[in-house]
Amino acid sequence: MEYRHLGRSGMLISEISYGNWVTHGSQVEAEQATACVRTALDLGITTFDTADVYAGTRAEAVLGEALKGERREGLEIFTKVYWPTGPGRNDRGLSRKHIMESINGSLRRLQTDYVDLYQMHRFDVATPLEETFEALADVVHSGKAHYIGVSEWKAEQIRAGYELARELKIQLVSSQPQYSMLWRVIEAEVVPVSEELGIGQIVWSPLAQGVLTGKYLPGQPPPSGSRATDEKSGAMFISRFMRDDVLSTVQKLKPLAEQAGLTMAQLAVAWVLQNPNVSSAIVGATRPDQLTDNVKASGVKLDTELLKRIDEVLDPIVERDPDKTESPSKRP
Ligand SMILES: NC(=O)c1ccc[n+]([C@@H]2O[C@H](COP(=O)([O-])OP(=O)(O)OC[C@H]3O[C@@H](n4cnc5c(N)ncnc54)[C@H](OP(=O)(O)O)[C@@H]3O)[C@@H](O)[C@H]2O)c1
């Protein structure tokens, strides 16, 4: 495993991290979740990403339990706040009230005194940005989080947050967007601003939720147990990629991966890591062997000719529109 700085910060994180959206507390049993976390640690993954909202708050508890007994200083634990965590009108968003309540809930469930990175899971149109950042400054200055990040914020929102963070003497160091060979919407605006401000991308769904592993074949039912068969939530989220034109185009990457001596999953993870503004690729996994496969992408250099051929194959189905970086127009 290779390690990168999180943006311009002094903290190093594993360039492949493990996230537990959809999986822990939902798609997979606790025992399987723990087995994945233990394998991740054995493979050199030290960075773990979760959120208060995942699996109705259960995902944080599963991760906290799985990491129990680990040396805290050897881990980087990331969580998030914004999406609803309860039925109340204040159990959501980025108000001072919800941030203060949510960080305490997250720390309790994660069984830790602090998180390394506290991320704003979307931009909250219903709270003044100053209120959010003043609350975050209190979270950081009380030692409950070390660094601040955002997720799916537009370039101008990142810049506004960055300036407030500086004034308040806290560090906004990361952005967590969706990024993969199929979803490149950050390249035009978010990445240039982030490079200028020293913000690193921690990218989600680098495998397009499993689609880029090539295991979903056009015109055929999805493999049993895969995300596309998870009726609790996974099937709904992956549906955007489950189109025959996408699945058949993705199959054309297979010979390219083989020529490079990589599995398709490794090619997909290595592809996002070629972007120097990416600090880490957050992979998901329902089984330990998926992590064993995916981590081999660490340190892989893809040559220019291969990158060009990937672009030629995928061009008709790649999404590049920067307007697809968005937050809800109303607080959920
Ligand atoms: N900030 C945000 O808004 C946001 C949104 C989404 C995700 N995230 C973060 O990003 C993390 C990763 O997202 P993701 O789970 O969608 O990422 P992903 O790595 O694109 O997809 C992971 C899924 O693909 C399948 N898979 C993984 N490796 C495989 C392999 N080698 N062979 C075959 N199948 C494989 C597994 O699903 P099956 O076995 O079920 O098929 C696994 O759960 C999340 O856990 C979360 O931390 C953040």
Side-chain angles (χ1 to χ4, degrees), residues 52-65:
D52 56 357
V53 66
Y54 292 170
T57 73
R58 287 186 306 279
E60 285 184 330
V62 171
L63 183 62
E65 204 51 39

Side-chain angles (χ1 to χ4, degrees), residues 32-47:
Q32 184 80 338
T34 302
C36 288
V37 169
R38 302 317 304 178
T39 300
L41 291 164
D42 290 345
L43 294 167
I45 292 178
T46 55
T47 308

Side-chain angles (χ1 to χ4, degrees), residues 91 161 287 296 305:
D91 296 332
R287 300 197 315 258
K296 295 199 184 94
E305 184 55 30

Side-chain angles (χ1 to χ4, degrees), residues 19 21 27 49 122 151 205 207 209 215 227 286 290 294:
W21 174 59
Q27 188 188 357
D49 182 74
R122 290 297 181 270
S151 174
S205 296
L207 298 169
Q209 304 195 41
K215 70 181 177 182
R227 184 171 297 184
T286 54
Q290 294 176 341
N294 302 345

Side-chain angles (χ1 to χ4, degrees), residues 18-23 27 49-51 54 80 83 119 121-122 151-152 176-177 203-211 213 215-216 225-228 230 238 263 265 269 282-287 289-291 293-294:
Y18 180 41
N20 71 359
W21 174 59
V22 179
T23 54
Q27 188 188 357
D49 182 74
T50 185
Y54 292 170
K80 316 186 193 79
W83 293 103
Q119 303 163 101
H121 212 154
R122 290 297 181 270
S151 174
E152 294 295 338
Q176 186 177 132
V203 304
W204 59 268
S205 296
L207 298 169
Q209 304 195 41
V211 166
T213 67
K215 70 181 177 182
Y216 297 107
S226 63
R227 184 171 297 184
D230 171 32
I238 201 176
T263 64
V269 177
I282 320 171
V283 298
T286 54
R287 300 197 315 258
D289 60 289
Q290 294 176 341
L291 287 167
D293 179 6
N294 302 345

